[in-house]
Amino acid sequence: MSLKKEQLIEGLVEILGSEKVITDPEVLKESSVDRFRRFEELHGVYTQPLPAAVVYPQDSSQVAAVLKFASDKGINIVPRTGQTATEGGLETIVENSVVLDGSEMNEIIKIDSYNMQATCQCGTPLQVLEDQLREQGYTTGHSPQSKPLAQLGGLVATRSIGQFSTLYGGIEDMVVGLEAVFPNGEIARIKNVPRRAAGPDIRHVVIGNEGTLCFITEVTVKIFKFMPENNILLGYTLENMKTGFEILRQIMADGYKPSVARLYDREDGAYHFSHFANDKCVLILMAEGPKKIAEATAEAIEEIVGAHTECVKVDTPYIQTWFDNLNWDATDVAAERAEILETKNIGNTTEISADWATINKIYEVCIERIRNEIPDMTLVGGHSSHSYINGTNLYFVHYYNVVDCKPEEEILKYHHPIKKIIVEETIKAGGSMCHHHGVGKHRTPWIKDEYGSSYYILETLKNAFDPEGVMNKGTIFPG
Amino acid sequence: MRILVLFKIVPDLDLLQDKEWTIKNTLPVETAYVKKIINVYDESALELTLKMADHSINNKQQIELSAFTIGEPHADLFLKKLLALGFNNTYRVQCSADLRFNPYAIAYIITAFASQYGPYDLIAMGMQSSDGDNAKTALLVAEMLTWPCITGVTGFELRDLDLVAVRNINDQGLVEQLVHEPAVLAVGNAPCSLLRVPTLRDIKSAADQEIAIISLQSLGCDLKKLNRQNDTELESLNTVNNTRAGLVIEGTSAEEKARLLYEKHLKGWLSSR
Amino acid sequence: MKYKVIINACSPSYKARAEEILSFLQEHHLTSGNAAGYNEAIVFYAEEQKAEDIINRLPFKTFKMVRIKHYQPEIILTILQELEIGSPAQIYIFPGDSSGNELAVRFAWRLNGSSLVAVEKITIQDNALVGIKKVYSGNLRGAFIFNYKPYCFSLARGMSRFEADIPVEKKNYTFHDYSSKTISLQPHDYLESPKEEENKLEKSSFIIAAGRGTGNSMEISRLQNIARELGAELGVSRPVVMNAWAPLDQLLGASGAVVSPDICLTLAVSGSPPFYYGIEKSKTIIAVNHDEHAPILKAADIVIIDDYKKVIDTLIKLAADEKGA
């Protein structure tokens, strides 16, 4: 890099003012990682190069100026908002990176209940938007576990998905239009229309770019009527994941759209459901929407499940109590950190997707291999939580005790080998290695295998929009 | 050296919403559908015992650990976990009766068990449970066995085969004392005592070990009699109302809100002190 | 009903505990008995303590002063049994602390009576006693009927106090020396002597309470300094203590200190019932929490929904400016 750190900071201060350029060493340390490296971080070990600064732009023109400056001077930019990334996307792997934090751009610009859409700046916490909408009788329909913490920009940048996705879709189905700033300083606005056939859908260049092509400054999402009084929660215990997958397939293939469609295996389920489903798989479905639709959906689900004799219905309060405690807030995060430090037991997740014919095979082989090949495992299990007409996802949950290794060796000894098994088995079987957390920095070794011949399209986007390679180096595209 | 650790499976009350406590004056409170956990003080007792055993391996002392609970089969999941963690024996007294507010019966059953399956050198358990809040069981067990009882225990280790160094908190503060066996240890707020997690290998190698299921009858316990003899009896339950004004200080930034708080509510009071 | 009060003067906080009992007696219109010399307090004190000081400080008129070697529940219980078994009172009231809980339960057992721990209120009807206490981790209150006499109970921690200055000449007391008393059950051999001081939190008029949301031990030590600068004591919630971010004597709540400051400022505290128990006697509760759904916000007088770090940093600045000015 041609620019010295002092000059770099000077340049940023000129654009943003000194108050918005943070160089406090503690802030820089915690900004060099995300949840992927939290074991190291908990032990005060920071293995990544520290960023030069964390900066807080106040509007799109400041974002543009920072990106232009970075592009001209070859400074690596790591964009972020709510900081709930789990796959290393926020790691600063380049010396003197600048973390571009959009969380102070947090205005809800317009809730347009006639056209059923809401526009907000990138730093708007989803919870804040959702709470405001609910007060008026609406919802975003988006409910990832990180809802209390995550913000709109990051949610769109990582192609996030929520617990009600089987009805409402992933964030890509919700985004109507947006504004993004590219590294050359270009501010591009994609207008809000119901649909158009005017060339490729360029929203998809931006959605899921993980800060490698542009910085999202504004988002418009669809809104829906909020009618929780019509929700019907259904829960069942069953013996086999295979049966569960088959039920989910039938529900989807028959054209029903439950909002929640989750299938837990014994191991993952034991954590949540052992008080009513000891050593059983658990299937949870929720019908919602207008009363008549919800009722018809629930009735059909009961009929479909009823044909499988191994399924036993569970009383609703069991499911409701679980449902009420689904999301993670800051207190849960703090509690988890303390528990990890004390017990040296840490859990991570890997989410993949595949078609109906393949999903159970991937599930079985991955569980078996992790159990046999990885030391000190305390839990290997998984659940399916998002279903589609042609397939579903699998959310592998893997916990282990960190034994006889330094904090900085935890990822190499445990986490990477686990990811490798899941990713390689999934790609081999024809599934996708990333369902909703994004690629981050730890699944890039397989990105070309993931895309095959279509990698050409992806790579060309990077070359076109970020020719200087300053956008979140090492994320999606191998560093 | 035989150590018996007693624990209770309780609903995780943190998962209940406010509205569920606005009762209805019905007895008992329905918590069946809430996720179950090991009562936090009992969890500490289990972990402190394992920690003590860890240290004693170096001393090459012979320690036999037993875990015990009273309740229904859903507790077996936890007992299996304890077997995987190194407990030598696990026992469950099969009992589906609601004994949340009958610590007398619980202590009686424990004592009957300890007399039949003992002798034990130490009995450890939490000082109270999150649902009953009775805080009596450990004390009653000590009385029934005519053993001494140390309350508010935060840690213990073996000094000799019949001598235990116990740290505990009493009204005078943190105390460390040597205790001759036998004794009952009632564990209180013990820092860093989350129960460790067994590996899949630990679980597999303990898979053959059985949980001993014991009937009340075999211990000579008659539930009807135990309920009749309970020294106090729950008559009614009522909602606790903690609501205050909850005046929200509004502002455009945290700094502004802090300034308003300071000017309106703190400045005068701080300077008048 | 005839009642007696048991005081453990070996505890450095015995005066406060006795004042809580006095207040409880007044609220329940039970004080006249003591004035008439009918009821009494039995006071255990350690041999190195000065009996006159204790007599001076205790707000009771009639008591037995029982000298023991040092606090040792087994010895106290044996003595109590010897003193009372002949003609026991109908009610024994124990203080709201851990020795009170222990002695109430074990003494009741020895006299074939009934016991209840952490009682907030009682009602006496037709010779029957009902005790009211918190259950379900403080989420509910239960009313319990005592089945067998004598009825023994300890008070809930941190009940309101009544300070009474009774001239020594109006007090009736007798001395009983059991300092050489030994029993076969004598397990305790102190390796480390207990501290002889009262909990600082109980006396403070300004408490800053930190919850798990503060995140780590470094942040807690930063808050220790901030509290000192503002002239406050720092108290913490149970998770903070269990993570060993702060020492046990800073624990607030049902199993820690119960405080009654003029101002209690909570930072990143969610406000679970067992914690709230520790601060509910505060005159003013100010809660700062970024989570607008945190239960503490409904149970506070004044609320800021925001990042507590920014709030406390600003407060410190304002207080320092004020001092400088």
Side-chain angles (χ1 to χ4, degrees), chain B residues 13 18 21 23 29 40-41 44 100-101 104 127 130-136 139-140 142-144 146-151 154 159 165 169-172 174-180 189-193 228-240 242-249 253-255 257-259 261-262 265-267 269-270 273, chain C residues 10-12 71 74 77 97-99 101-102 105-106 109-110 113-117 130 133-148 185 187-192 194-196 205-206 230-231 238 241-242 244 248 251 255 262-263 276 280 282-286 297-306 310-311 314-315 318-319 322:
Chain B
L13 298 180
D18 274 1
W21 294 115
I23 51 168
V29 174
V40 289
Y41 294 110
S44 292
R100 269 177 278 198
F101 297 104
Y104 162 77
M127 66 174 185
S130 58
D131 50 2
D133 270 336
N134 301 301
K136 286 170 69 172
L139 302 166
L140 289 175
E143 283 301 308
M144 289 180 190
T146 62
W147 289 10
C149 182
I150 317 296
T151 59
T154 63
R159 283 295 159 85
I169 300 226
N170 64 21
D171 299 320
Q172 290 156 277
L174 196 62
V175 181
E176 187 168 13
Q177 51 192 310
L178 284 178
V179 176
H180 293 273
N189 292 309
C192 298
S193 56
R228 216 169 36 238
Q229 288 171 339
N230 188 9
D231 61 338
T232 54
E233 191 182 319
L234 181 64
E235 189 192 35
S236 65
L237 284 174
N238 282 292
T239 304
V240 173
N242 291 330
T243 312
R244 292 196 183 203
L247 171 76
V248 180
I249 298 184
S253 67
E255 288 78 8
K257 293 174 197 170
R259 198 166 298 121
L261 171 69
Y262 183 78
H265 302 284
L266 286 176
K267 192 175 163 184
W269 182 79
L270 280 172
R273 280 207 300 170
Chain C
C10 305
S11 156
Y71 176 73
E74 272 76 20
L77 284 162
D97 57 16
S98 61
S99 67
N101 295 347
E102 174 167 4
V105 175
R106 301 181 73 176
W109 172 260
R110 292 184 188 197
S114 33
S115 63
L116 208 54
V117 162
V130 173
K133 59 167 290 187
K134 294 239 176 83
V135 292
Y136 290 102
S137 295
N139 283 294
L140 296 173
R141 266 194 192 91
F144 293 82
I145 303 164
F146 287 76
N147 283 336
Y148 309 108
L185 267 183
H188 303 224
D189 186 2
Y190 289 94
L191 294 172
E192 189 184 302
K195 277 187 289 183
E196 293 291 333
S205 63
F206 183 17
L230 287 172
R238 187 168 184 271
V241 160
M242 297 303 281
L248 272 162
L251 174 64
S255 62
D262 292 334
I263 292 183
Y276 192 75
E280 69 183 347
S282 307
K283 279 197 193 118
T284 303
I285 297 176
I286 305 169
L297 302 186
K298 275 189 206 150
D301 300 284
I302 301 164
V303 164
I304 291 184
I305 302 167
D306 216 313
K310 289 182 187 158
V311 172
T314 309
L315 288 181
L318 292 168
E322 186 76 15

Side-chain angles (χ1 to χ4, degrees), chain A residues 275 278 321 325 342 377 401, chain B residues 15 33 77 192-194 197 200:
Chain A
H275 56 298
N278 192 8
T321 308
N325 291 282
E342 203 182 310
M377 293 305 301
N401 286 338
Chain B
L15 301 182
Y33 51 83
L77 196 77
C192 298
S193 56
L194 283 177
V197 185
L200 297 177

Side-chain angles (χ1 to χ4, degrees), chain A residues 239-455:
Chain A
E239 301 299 326
N240 301 296
M241 285 296 275
K242 208 172 169 195
T243 314
F245 286 129
E246 184 48 31
I247 292 170
L248 288 175
R249 196 195 73 82
Q250 279 181 32
I251 291 170
M252 298 308 294
D254 286 357
Y256 296 103
K257 296 242 156 142
S259 58
V260 174
R262 297 172 87 93
L263 170 67
Y264 284 79
D265 74 358
R266 286 159 209 272
E267 288 74 14
D268 192 14
Y271 178 78
H272 308 275
F273 309 121
S274 61
H275 56 298
F276 66 86
N278 192 8
D279 210 22
K280 294 259 194 289
C281 302
V282 174
L283 178 64
I284 294 170
L285 298 138
M286 184 160 86
E288 67 167 277
K291 197 165 190 285
K292 286 177 185 170
I293 293 181
E295 282 172 0
T297 305
E299 198 182 314
I301 288 170
E302 294 211 71
E303 205 171 288
I304 292 168
V305 180
H308 296 264
T309 49
E310 72 176 74
C311 298
V312 178
K313 200 169 175 195
V314 177
D315 287 348
T316 311
Y318 286 97
I319 310 296
Q320 188 69 49
T321 308
W322 161 84
F323 186 72
D324 291 341
N325 291 282
L326 215 45
N327 287 336
W328 265 56
D329 61 16
T331 312
D332 297 311
V333 173
E336 186 213 32
R337 291 167 69 96
E339 279 178 35
I340 294 171
L341 261 183
E342 203 182 310
T343 61
K344 305 279 180 222
N345 184 261
I346 184 167
N348 292 295
T349 58
T350 307
E351 19 64 63
I352 59 102
S353 72
D355 63 24
W356 294 115
T358 328
I359 196 75
N360 193 53
K361 281 181 225 157
I362 296 175
Y363 166 72
E364 283 178 359
V365 69
C366 289
I367 296 281
E368 184 66 16
R369 281 193 59 193
I370 295 168
R371 240 183 231 159
N372 294 333
E373 295 173 30
I374 311 292
D376 312 315
M377 293 305 301
T378 59
L379 189 160
V380 194
H383 61 261
S384 157
S385 41
H386 310 273
S387 281
Y388 310 87
I389 190 103
N390 63 333
T392 189
N393 87 310
L394 244 181
Y395 195 79
F396 287 101
V397 176
H398 29 84
Y399 279 74
Y400 43 83
N401 286 338
V402 179
V403 182
D404 294 333
C405 88
K406 291 184 195 153
E408 57 270 38
E409 291 165 355
E410 172 258 339
I411 288 174
L412 283 178
K413 183 173 176 183
Y414 302 101
H415 199 167
H416 277 168
I418 294 171
K419 274 241 157 24
K420 188 170 156 54
I421 291 174
I422 297 171
V423 166
E424 290 184 355
E425 291 295 344
T426 302
I427 293 177
K428 196 165 79 186
S432 169
M433 67 170 182
C434 304
H435 177 262
H436 64 268
H437 285 172
V439 182
K441 294 195 171 68
H442 299 276
R443 283 188 273 194
T444 53
W446 300 279
I447 192 76
K448 288 180 185 164
D449 300 334
E450 166 76 20
Y451 273 80
S453 60
S454 68
Y455 187 69

Side-chain angles (χ1 to χ4, degrees), chain A residues 43-277:
Chain A
H43 290 84
V45 177
Y46 293 89
T47 54
Q48 306 301 296
L50 296 191
V54 178
V55 302
Y56 292 87
Q58 305 298 301
D59 56 36
S60 305
S61 62
Q62 286 190 344
V63 173
V66 170
L67 290 186
K68 181 87 176 46
F69 174 70
S71 199
D72 290 348
K73 309 291 181 193
I75 302 158
N76 184 52
I77 294 286
V78 177
R80 76 173 190 200
T81 53
Q83 297 184 59
T84 59
T86 57
E87 305 299 321
L90 300 184
E91 288 172 13
T92 53
I93 64 168
V94 178
E95 202 73 44
N96 286 334
S97 295
V98 171
V99 174
L100 183 57
D101 187 317
S103 62
E104 290 189 4
M105 294 170 64
N106 55 11
E107 196 190 329
I108 296 176
I109 296 166
K110 188 175 185 187
I111 291 176
D112 179 353
S113 59
Y114 190 76
N115 291 309
M116 298 297 279
Q117 57 193 25
T119 304
C120 0
Q121 286 186 306
C122 57
T124 307
L126 176 58
Q127 184 84 59
V128 172
L129 174 63
E130 183 67 23
D131 289 348
Q132 272 202 28
L133 285 171
R134 286 191 184 184
E135 272 173 31
Q136 303 176 25
Y138 299 92
T139 174
T140 57
H142 197 52
S143 180
Q145 195 179 29
S146 59
K147 184 163 76 180
L149 304 167
Q151 300 170 5
L152 265 297
L155 290 165
V156 175
T158 54
R159 282 182 83 88
S160 87
I161 202 165
Q163 291 135 357
F164 312 134
S165 74
T166 306
L167 175 62
Y168 296 101
I171 195 91
E172 69 277 14
D173 300 304
M174 301 165 170
V175 172
V176 179
L178 52 80
E179 180 191 80
V181 184
F182 286 80
N184 61 359
E186 196 75 42
I187 300 175
R189 291 187 70 87
I190 301 177
K191 66 180 175 183
N192 306 326
V193 289
R195 184 180 187 265
R196 57 177 166 175
D201 192 340
I202 52 174
R203 286 176 298 186
H204 290 288
V205 173
V206 177
I207 300 172
N209 87 84
E210 297 184 42
T212 64
L213 305 177
C214 59
F215 187 96
I216 299 163
T217 47
E218 189 189 298
V219 178
T220 300
V221 290
K222 295 173 190 168
I223 61 173
F224 303 87
K225 287 204 169 157
F226 185 54
M227 298 171 275
E229 64 280 7
N230 298 339
N231 291 358
I232 303 171
L233 260 176
L234 299 164
Y236 303 88
T237 61
L238 61 166
E239 301 299 326
N240 301 296
M241 285 296 275
K242 208 172 169 195
T243 314
F245 286 129
E246 184 48 31
I247 292 170
L248 288 175
R249 196 195 73 82
Q250 279 181 32
I251 291 170
M252 298 308 294
D254 286 357
Y256 296 103
K257 296 242 156 142
S259 58
V260 174
R262 297 172 87 93
L263 170 67
Y264 284 79
D265 74 358
R266 286 159 209 272
E267 288 74 14
D268 192 14
Y271 178 78
H272 308 275
F273 309 121
S274 61
H275 56 298
F276 66 86

